[in-house]
Amino acid sequence: MVTLIVVSLPGLAALGALLFTWMQVGQANKELRISEHGQITNRFNAAIDNLGSESLDVRLGGIYALQRIMQDSARDHPTVVSVLAAFAQRHAGSSTESLKEPPESLRPENSDPHAPRVDVRAAIATLARRRPDRDSGTVIDLSKTDLRGLHFTDKAPINLPEVDLSEADLRSAYLSGADLRKASLVYANLDEAYLDEVNLSGASLAGASLVLADLTGASLRRADMTCGGFESDETGVIKEIDCVDLQFAVLDGVDLRNAKMNKVDLRHAHLHGADLRGADLRNADLRNADLTNADFRGAKLTGVKWKGATRTGARGVPPNG
């Protein structure tokens, strides 16, 4: 027995040394994490202070500091997202006021006096290029915000899935290729906006206006474009109001499969090769629309207005006449 204990002593000593080393490493890692969290807290506080500066350069520095924190710390990512969204929403101005102004063209080829401020664009660009998988359920709230002429100058991905842009003023905004899946664009104004190749699958667009918008190649699969509400006339008859306006919009090659488009206004719209299979188009207005090679198979078409529509090569539509 004594011999066994003597033989085991070196092994026990080695095990004890290993356990002690492991405890030291664990303590060191814990202290390192505490130190890192403290450093990030200090960086975050400094960045927040910079956002309140009167100097544009200092505010931009605060935004880029928050961007770096968002990249370095998954734990702080949702907080930074909320801060940047609140900054953009506050400093961009209210769409309640901007929508009272005349509907002048704000496209890039024209003068663009209403484009968001540089720091607002920087904040939204940072949000648009974040990692959505780190949001932890945080919703980017840009509702009721004046974002006329919003334009990203480079080709980085615009990732804003589930963003809240309800009642936002996005006239002439440039969002080509943006990921706006399940976004809320309820009552948003997107007149003359560039939305080509945008992903609006499952998005809510009730009451939205998209007059002259370019949606070439976009995906609006299962998008909800139902009317915004109901009202009753003097006889008590209830009718739907604030239906989606897509007059003169370009929807060539758009995926509108299973979209809810009841009473949508598509007069003079271009739908070359659009896929509307299974879409609900009951009582929609397609007068003078160009439906060349569009696919309406399986769509609900009760009450659709077709007068003047070009239906050459279109499938699943009643013949001209």
Side-chain angles (χ1 to χ4, degrees):
M1 184 61 133
V2 173
T3 303
L4 179 60
I5 293 173
V6 170
V7 171
S8 301
L9 282 177
L12 291 172
L15 181 60
L18 181 63
L19 180 60
F20 179 72
T21 301
W22 178 79
M23 292 175 65
Q24 283 186 314
V25 171
Q27 182 63 28
N29 286 337
K30 182 179 179 180
E31 292 175 356
L32 179 61
R33 287 195 298 271
I34 292 173
S35 176
E36 289 176 344
H37 290 161
Q39 291 175 5
I40 289 175
T41 298
N42 291 336
R43 289 164 56 193
F44 180 82
N45 290 336
I48 294 298
D49 287 341
N50 288 345
L51 290 183
S53 172
E54 294 184 1
S55 168
L56 173 61
D57 291 341
V58 175
R59 292 197 302 274
L60 288 173
I63 291 167
Y64 297 134
L66 288 173
Q67 180 182 35
R68 186 60 182 269
I69 292 170
M70 190 163 54
Q71 293 169 347
D72 292 345
S73 174
R75 186 192 68 163
D76 295 289
H77 177 104
T79 302
V80 173
V81 167
S82 296
V83 168
L84 289 173
F87 175 87
Q89 191 176 45
R90 177 182 177 186
H91 292 277
S94 170
S95 61
T96 303
E97 296 301 320
S98 67
L99 288 170
K100 296 177 183 177
E101 297 182 20
E104 60 196 66
S105 179
L106 299 172
R107 289 199 166 191
E109 61 266 23
N110 302 319
S111 59
D112 203 3
H114 301 297
R117 293 176 1 184
V118 173
D119 50 352
V120 171
R121 293 202 305 271
I124 296 176
T126 299
L127 291 170
R129 288 148 198 169
R130 79 202 186 288
R131 286 179 53 179
D133 59 297
R134 288 184 170 185
D135 287 350
S136 300
T138 302
V139 176
I140 297 176
D141 185 2
L142 295 172
S143 61
K144 299 182 180 179
T145 306
D146 179 5
L147 297 173
R148 288 172 291 174
L150 178 65
H151 186 201
F152 298 105
T153 56
D154 56 37
K155 297 295 183 180
I158 302 171
N159 295 313
L160 290 169
E162 301 185 50
V163 63
D164 185 356
L165 288 163
S166 55
E167 299 183 60
D169 189 349
L170 285 154
R171 286 176 288 176
S172 298
Y174 194 104
L175 295 168
S176 293
D179 182 354
L180 297 173
R181 287 171 295 165
K182 298 183 179 180
S184 176
L185 289 154
V186 175
Y187 284 105
N189 191 319
L190 293 137
D191 292 351
E192 295 191 20
Y194 291 93
L195 299 165
D196 49 297
E197 305 294 336
V198 72
N199 188 346
L200 282 163
S201 300
S204 298
L205 292 135
S209 180
L210 295 104
V211 176
L212 286 167
D214 184 353
L215 289 138
T216 303
S219 174
L220 287 102
R221 193 172 183 178
R222 298 184 303 277
D224 187 351
M225 288 182 271
T226 50
C227 301
F230 300 87
E231 70 176 8
S232 58
D233 59 21
E234 61 277 0
T235 64
V237 176
I238 297 175
K239 62 178 182 179
E240 290 178 291
I241 59 171
D242 299 331
C243 300
V244 175
D245 192 345
L246 280 158
Q247 292 183 72
F248 298 96
V250 179
L251 294 146
D252 295 344
V254 171
D255 184 352
L256 285 159
R257 284 175 288 174
N258 300 306
K260 298 177 181 178
M261 304 175 70
N262 189 26
K263 291 192 175 180
V264 68
D265 191 342
L266 284 159
R267 284 176 290 170
H268 303 280
H270 289 257
L271 290 129
H272 285 223
D275 191 345
L276 295 113
R277 285 176 292 171
D280 184 353
L281 284 152
R282 286 174 294 178
N283 301 306
D285 194 340
L286 287 160
R287 286 176 291 176
N288 299 305
D290 190 339
L291 311 176
T292 303
N293 296 325
D295 193 343
F296 288 82
R297 289 176 296 175
K300 297 176 182 178
L301 302 173
T302 304
V304 171
K305 299 174 183 177
W306 302 97
K307 187 175 179 180
T310 301
R311 289 176 262 184
T312 305
R315 288 169 286 181
V317 298
N320 292 331

